[in-house]
Amino acid sequence: MNKLDSVRSSKKLVDQSRPMTGNEAIARGAWEAGVKVAAAYPGTPSTEILENMATYNADDVVAQWSTNEKVSVDTAIGASLSGVRALAAMKHVGLNVAADSVMSVTYIGVHAGLVIVVCDDPGLHSSQNEQDTRVFARLANIPVLEPADAQEALDFTRLAFDLSEFFDTPVIVRATTRLSHTRSSVSIGPRTEVEPKGWVDDYRKTVMIPGHARIRHPVVVERVEKLSDYFSASPLNRWDKGDRSYGIITHGTCYPYVKEVVPDASILKIAASYPLPEKLIQEFTATVDRVIVVEELEPVLEVEIRALGIPAEGKSLFPRVGELAPEVLREGLARAGLIEAATALHDWQVEPLARPPVLCAGCPHTTSYMALRAIDALVPGDIGCYTLAAVEPLQSIDVTVCMGASIGNAVGMAKANTSDRPIVATIGDSTFLHSGIPPLIDAVYNDANITVIILDNKITAMTGGQNHPGTGKTLRGEQTHEVDYEELCKSVGVKWIKTVDPYDTGELFQALREATEFRGVSVLISYRPCVLDPVKIKGPALVVKAATCTACQACMNLGCPAITWIDELFEDKHKVEINPVSCIGCSLCAQICPSDCIQPLAPLTETSVIS
Amino acid sequence: MDKLSVQETKSKKGGRAKKAKTQKAEMTKNVLIVGVGGQGVIMISKVLALLCQTQGYQVKQSEVHGMAKRGGGVFSHVRFGEEVWSPTIPMGEADVLIALEWAEGLRWLPHLKHDTGIFIADTQQIVPPFACRNRTAGAQTAYVKETPTEILEKVADGYALDAGGFAEELGNSRVANTILLGALSASLDFADEDWLNIIAKFVPKGSEKVNEQAFMKGRDWIIEVRENPEEMPREATQPEMPIPPAGDVDISLDIIDDWCKSCDICVRLCPERCLELNEQQIVRLKKPDACTGCRLCEWLCPDFAITVNRTPVNKKKEAA
């Protein structure tokens, strides 16, 4: 085990250039470990891991966007079995997409180190659920390392590759939004070049047919036991000795909160949340009178520690939902009678302002949803910025499940045949490529009477503007083949396909009407690049002629953040104005205005029109 | 169990550990920086975090920015000291709250120390579209009502400044965040040149000079105001919206059935979705309570089939 314990032995220098986020540190750790292939599909809060991977020399590491998380894990498996260290990164729900591959590669094991970074999102900062990857790891029998800060994110990721090779297992490094997006000082080290091993050449281990898998399953079970023993003895655990009247068992991102609230308590911080270091836990609990488990989300440790016969307390004190915080911890410990209750917070008596996220000024998605609302369509939506059209004023999405679900939902809605309203699935370009193509083929195959709008803004916008196969550029910005959606749809048998410019409201409305009247699968591609990425678009602003504004606020139906009220009134209602800084000149409001009072600041010339 | 080589922090640090811990707890400084996407909250947080690191402190800077680009609120916790644990500032424990936008500052007040906290806020108001979504007559902007005067009375040590206005005076509206950083600097014990060196690493090339001016402007302003508190603006920069005359109106729709040709335009485009076609395919007001009398249906109807009547309630009473 000497090799495994080497991670902390080499003294490293603190990186003086700037504090690192957890995601930067994970990328650094992987690079230091000699990773050769890294792949991911963007997803908050994991996106920056691969973006940072791509800042390292291309000779050191291949860093690429995959079309989805499953492809990224499959890519990493292929690389690992070919003898080079590999990494796949994703957000928690991405692991569901990759699940099929993950559940098999756990039997196969690895050749060179294979690390899967999964970022959970307790508190739902930008996700559709709060699922706990630690539960998934139990299903897959894959060890999970739990770094607490950026330094550990680097160290644990680096170690994960050694662990993976030593125990012949994929290893999950788990982060949360708070770790991924918190900066702290980090000591960095050099890269260890790892000699490629070549192809694994052991088909009984790598071809998962029943006969082979039957042999591998007991190996997996045995591996978990070995890992538990290893983690019981690992120097990465941390035992803070203190007051023995109670002891806290915790890990990773929860540990800093515990230290904040009860710095002098007896604390066992375990390095891995799976498998549990049972021997170490028994040794620790024997030294304290009462055992408290602090963990975010599900009572994973608590239940397993109780199964060891230890009367651990956890979710009776702390919530099972949401993100942990010092005040949440303080409240639970006070309820347990372990610390004094915090003094009540001062009541400032200030009502906070609601500031929900909105689509940007000039967002090309806007008109598609206005048109959908106007034709009173039933709209299964998907995951992306456009999910914001689910709330007022656009409020035109009826169901959103997960990545790529919209088209399949539409097929089911059409087959249920319980509504006369047209059924229109809306899906972004990146999401369509991620998981929208198989359901489109299904829709054609099963002759579903639906319309699909591909909202092509030529970028993965929600996660901050990443390239994908439809942009014609790679993660490193190199030119590559660009998917042609019309050709793609044609080849799978779609008979009605049209591309429109969503800045032309008339054309869009008309095309949508035709598409929904077509019997069978019709695909409308609404094409207009995102106003933020890859280049920020800014055209000449429009102005409202207050004299003729009738305060009908039809323009407000766009939900454009550049339009606001002024104090001038018409029939007791505020007239509007346009903020010239945030207006990008898309002209959608001018196209909608029934009194024609929104006009360009200066007479339009050919060059001033955004093309 | 001798094989278990667990890290034992206390035994390593010996007897000094506990003392150091309690000292640390006192020394951890908490600065909360808040604003709206695009204002530069994260940039000035990074400046502060790196400055603290170069000054030998442990630092944690935690942000949530997933929705920043979409006009949502942005906040960043910066904590520094000998040993910093939680990445987030516990409620009621921020030493300084810096707000780049007025309502955002108010939102985060519960994080500020009530008895000693320093509150530094730009009086700039960024009104979200959500606040202007009410078509009923007499509706007011749903923006926070508290004026700087009211808030400065509530906080232990408060400053409200028109950083946006100062930035425009300096000829670059983008440096408002640096002005606030300058204002913050007067409450932290770091040398000006150290601040400026770090700022220069983060600002766009060519804007170092104006950012330096902005930093000094904020710093000088707050020093000046501390000496002469009456210098401070007490009202928000933007005028209060006038309260529209009492908007109590009765709204009714006159629909000429014979002129309605069931084209559906009004039903589809009613912003409150309160119209429908009845069994004879003639437009009807389905939800009278939801109708705001905006007249959009009246204006959009190609056949002049709809007239919106707005009768002030008090006039009606008089008539009766």
Side-chain angles (χ1 to χ4, degrees):
Chain A
M1 295 232 179
N2 295 345
K3 196 183 159 202
L4 288 184
D5 293 341
S6 65
V7 64
R8 292 209 156 192
S9 59
S10 56
K11 259 286 157 238
K12 299 185 249 174
L13 289 171
V14 170
D15 179 21
Q16 284 301 340
S17 59
R18 61 192 60 184
M20 276 189 191
T21 61
N23 282 349
E24 288 169 330
I26 287 167
R28 175 80 196 188
W31 177 81
E32 288 185 11
V35 71
K36 195 72 200 168
V37 174
Y41 180 80
T44 312
S46 69
T47 312
E48 301 87 356
I49 297 171
L50 255 281
E51 288 180 327
N52 275 283
M53 229 44 268
T55 62
Y56 294 98
N57 198 323
D59 294 337
D60 286 351
V61 55
V62 175
Q64 59 188 35
W65 292 129
S66 301
T67 43
N68 66 36
E69 293 85 352
K70 180 174 174 357
V71 176
S72 76
V73 169
D74 291 337
T75 303
I77 293 169
S80 162
L81 298 181
S82 302
V84 297
R85 290 186 160 189
L87 174 139
M90 62 205 67
K91 68 183 293 179
H92 58 329
V93 287
L95 185 58
N96 304 338
V97 179
D100 214 0
S101 302
V102 173
M103 293 305 295
S104 283
V105 75
T106 184
Y107 280 27
I108 293 172
V110 306
H111 189 36
L114 171 60
V115 173
I116 303 170
V117 182
V118 186
C119 299
D120 285 6
D121 189 17
L124 295 148
H125 295 289
S126 53
S127 303
Q128 71 266 36
N129 74 22
E130 263 189 308
Q131 73 186 49
D132 189 330
T133 294
R134 300 174 307 158
V135 179
F136 190 98
R138 280 153 173 81
L139 186 65
N141 290 300
I142 293 179
V144 182
L145 296 181
E146 296 275 355
D149 58 21
Q151 182 68 63
E152 287 193 352
L154 189 157
D155 292 342
F156 285 21
T157 306
R158 197 186 152 109
L159 172 81
F161 287 93
D162 295 340
L163 266 180
S164 170
E165 286 167 11
F166 192 87
F167 287 99
D168 191 9
T169 177
V171 175
I172 292 177
V173 174
R174 177 175 175 262
T176 62
T177 304
R178 200 53 75 178
L179 170 60
S180 287
H181 291 170
T182 294
R183 288 183 179 77
S184 54
S185 307
V186 171
S187 305
I188 53 172
R191 176 172 164 97
T192 310
E193 285 299 343
V194 184
E195 208 43 47
K197 295 179 181 176
W199 178 250
V200 55
D201 211 14
D202 182 359
Y203 77 97
R204 284 184 192 82
K205 184 169 177 284
T206 54
V207 180
M208 277 304 103
I209 54 173
H212 296 169
R214 225 169 268 134
I215 298 165
R216 293 299 299 170
H217 196 181
V219 176
V220 171
V221 174
E222 199 186 322
R223 184 177 76 200
V224 172
E225 283 163 20
K226 283 186 191 158
L227 278 159
S228 173
D229 287 345
Y230 164 75
F231 283 127
S232 273
S234 166
L236 298 184
N237 297 309
R238 192 177 162 125
W239 183 335
D240 298 342
K241 298 202 168 168
D243 176 11
R244 290 183 165 214
S245 60
Y246 69 99
I248 292 177
I249 301 176
T250 189
H251 63 61
T253 47
C254 305
Y255 176 72
Y257 298 125
V258 175
K259 291 298 280 185
E260 180 77 29
V261 175
V262 281
D264 299 328
S266 289
I267 305 165
L268 177 65
K269 170 186 175 292
I270 55 178
S273 60
Y274 183 76
L276 291 194
E278 295 182 358
K279 290 176 189 144
L280 178 63
I281 286 173
Q282 272 157 341
E283 197 199 358
F284 173 78
T285 53
T287 66
V288 294
D289 301 338
R290 200 171 159 188
V291 179
I292 311 288
V293 178
V294 176
E295 57 190 325
E296 256 168 346
L297 303 177
E298 299 299 317
V300 176
L301 305 190
E302 182 186 347
V303 169
E304 289 187 7
I305 291 170
R306 281 203 200 168
L308 296 174
I310 298 162
E313 299 164 78
K315 293 299 162 186
S316 59
L317 306 171
F318 311 109
R320 193 168 164 172
V321 296
E323 195 177 13
L324 210 56
E327 47 273 19
V328 177
L329 197 58
R330 205 170 277 155
E331 199 188 314
L333 291 173
R335 199 176 310 137
L338 299 172
I339 59 170
E340 281 182 27
T343 47
L345 281 173
H346 177 71
D347 180 7
W348 293 85
Q349 298 186 326
V350 171
E351 194 66 35
L353 168 74
R355 196 187 293 278
V358 292
L359 291 172
C360 304
C363 175
H365 295 329
T366 319
T367 32
S368 300
Y369 288 97
M370 284 196 89
L372 284 167
R373 186 168 166 163
I375 66 160
D376 195 27
L378 257 177
V379 181
D382 226 294
I383 306 286
C385 295
Y386 46 94
T387 313
L388 296 171
V391 294
E392 284 287 5
L394 293 168
Q395 205 196 61
S396 44
I397 296 176
D398 297 289
V399 54
T400 298
V401 182
C402 65
M403 289 290 285
S406 60
I407 301 174
N409 292 159
V411 172
M413 289 153 75
K415 294 295 171 179
N417 196 20
T418 53
S419 170
D420 294 334
R421 296 160 69 189
I423 296 163
V424 184
T426 59
I427 185 165
D429 47 343
S430 189
T431 310
F432 178 69
L433 297 170
H434 174 280
S435 46
I437 300 169
L440 181 65
I441 296 171
D442 180 285
V444 174
Y445 173 61
N446 289 308
D447 191 25
N449 185 22
I450 63 166
T451 298
V452 175
I453 302 184
I454 300 174
L455 300 156
D456 179 15
N457 63 354
K458 222 171 166 47
I459 205 82
T460 316
M462 193 66 183
T463 43
Q466 287 74 30
N467 281 304
H468 62 65
T471 69
K473 286 216 171 110
T474 67
L475 169 58
R476 288 190 186 271
E478 291 145 355
Q479 293 291 331
T480 182
H481 177 73
E482 185 181 323
V483 171
D484 181 330
Y485 299 102
E486 285 201 11
E487 287 296 322
L488 191 153
C489 295
K490 211 178 288 172
S491 71
V492 303
V494 178
K495 296 283 183 286
W496 193 105
I497 305 164
K498 189 170 187 181
T499 302
V500 290
D501 177 1
Y503 275 7
D504 186 337
T505 47
E507 192 195 356
L508 182 86
F509 271 67
Q510 185 57 29
L512 182 61
R513 219 167 255 251
E514 284 169 22
T516 52
E517 276 161 14
F518 179 81
R519 216 226 138 272
V521 179
S522 50
V523 174
L524 184 62
I525 301 159
S526 159
Y527 170 67
R528 173 63 73 165
C530 174
V531 296
L532 286 183
D533 294 298
V535 281
K536 203 166 162 31
I537 291 168
K538 178 81 177 100
L542 300 168
V543 283
V544 181
K545 280 203 282 183
T548 48
C549 174
T550 53
C552 74
Q553 298 176 12
C555 51
M556 287 287 189
N557 286 355
L558 286 165
C560 174
I563 307 175
T564 189
W565 285 354
I566 55 171
D567 39 7
E568 206 172 314
L569 305 173
F570 179 85
E571 289 190 341
D572 301 348
K573 286 172 299 184
H574 294 283
K575 296 185 178 186
V576 302
E577 70 174 2
I578 294 171
N579 179 331
V581 178
S582 38
C583 174
I584 71 149
C586 73
S587 85
L588 292 179
C589 54
Q591 293 179 42
I592 285 162
C593 178
S595 54
D596 202 20
C597 69
I598 300 178
Q599 291 180 356
L601 190 55
L604 275 185
T605 62
E606 263 183 40
T607 48
S608 65
V609 180
I610 311 171
S611 54
Chain B
M1 283 294 152
D2 54 340
K3 276 190 294 179
L4 302 183
S5 52
V6 175
Q7 229 175 303
E8 290 181 16
T9 47
K10 192 167 174 182
S11 62
K12 276 181 191 165
K13 283 186 180 172
R16 291 190 311 133
K18 189 161 185 179
K19 195 182 168 197
K21 270 181 201 160
T22 33
Q23 267 184 359
K24 162 230 56 162
E26 284 160 18
M27 283 178 61
T28 298
K29 268 264 186 199
N30 297 320
V31 179
L32 184 57
I33 304 174
V34 304
V36 178
Q39 287 193 301
V41 168
I42 305 298
M43 193 281 263
I44 61 175
S45 308
K46 285 182 183 173
V47 168
L48 178 58
L50 179 56
L51 177 65
C52 296
Q53 178 179 291
T54 56
Q55 301 282 322
Y57 289 105
Q58 205 187 84
V59 61
K60 282 190 177 168
Q61 182 249 318
S62 183
E63 69 203 37
V64 169
H65 58 235
M67 296 292 166
K69 278 188 178 171
R70 263 120 327 236
V74 185
F75 55 93
S76 170
H77 301 246
V78 185
R79 311 190 72 207
F80 62 97
E82 294 305 318
E83 194 167 38
V84 178
W85 289 113
S86 169
T88 54
I89 300 170
M91 300 270 276
E93 291 185 24
D95 296 288
V96 187
L97 170 56
I98 302 280
L100 276 62
E101 197 273 348
W102 185 246
E104 291 307 307
L106 270 51
R107 181 194 312 286
W108 290 94
L109 275 176
H111 269 74
L112 186 65
K113 281 182 181 167
H114 175 236
D115 47 353
T116 57
I118 303 171
F119 176 79
I120 304 173
D122 193 336
T123 51
Q124 184 191 185
Q125 300 181 351
I126 298 179
V127 179
F130 181 84
C132 303
R133 274 210 52 77
N134 186 345
R135 287 185 177 81
T136 46
Q140 289 184 60
T141 315
Y143 193 78
V144 293
K145 302 283 178 278
E146 289 79 5
T147 62
T149 315
E150 286 163 4
I151 294 301
L152 296 185
E153 273 166 20
K154 285 176 190 253
V155 295
D157 190 6
Y159 304 91
L161 67 157
D162 177 16
F166 291 166
E168 267 165 37
E169 281 170 28
L170 292 171
N172 185 339
S173 59
R174 310 270 322 146
V175 299
N177 58 345
T178 310
I179 292 174
L180 284 153
L181 207 52
L184 167 69
S185 72
S187 300
L188 300 176
D189 199 15
F190 302 125
D192 288 356
E193 56 269 28
D194 294 333
W195 279 101
L196 293 170
N197 282 339
I198 305 282
I199 289 170
K201 291 186 184 186
F202 286 91
V203 299
K205 283 225 167 355
S207 73
E208 295 89 349
K209 187 83 192 150
V210 67
N211 273 287
E212 181 177 338
Q213 290 168 341
F215 177 85
M216 294 314 294
K217 174 81 191 169
R219 189 178 173 90
D220 294 346
W221 179 84
I222 209 159
I223 291 168
E224 171 81 23
V225 164
R226 274 186 179 156
E227 284 162 14
N228 312 301
E230 62 279 3
E231 297 281 304
M232 201 159 15
R234 292 280 154 175
E235 295 306 326
T237 45
Q238 291 183 9
E240 287 277 298
M241 288 273 183
I243 300 171
D248 247 356
V249 282
D250 262 358
I251 296 154
S252 63
L253 259 57
D254 284 344
I255 297 165
I256 303 170
D257 290 4
D258 290 348
W259 290 5
C260 173
K261 64 176 183 211
S262 322
C263 75
D264 230 15
I265 290 174
C266 56
V267 177
R268 300 297 189 216
L269 293 177
C270 170
E272 306 297 337
R273 303 189 194 200
C274 53
L275 297 170
E276 65 175 355
L277 294 187
N278 66 10
E279 279 169 13
Q280 288 77 44
Q281 300 294 299
I282 304 297
V283 64
R284 280 286 165 267
L285 183 57
K286 177 175 63 176
K287 294 187 249 166
D289 294 345
C291 176
T292 62
C294 74
R295 293 191 196 274
L296 206 52
C297 51
E298 181 180 321
W299 294 325
L300 291 174
C301 178
D303 299 281
F304 306 101
I306 307 175
T307 311
V308 176
N309 300 310
R310 302 165 50 91
T311 326
V313 169
N314 41 4
K315 267 193 194 161
K316 217 168 82 176
K317 274 181 194 155
E318 278 167 27

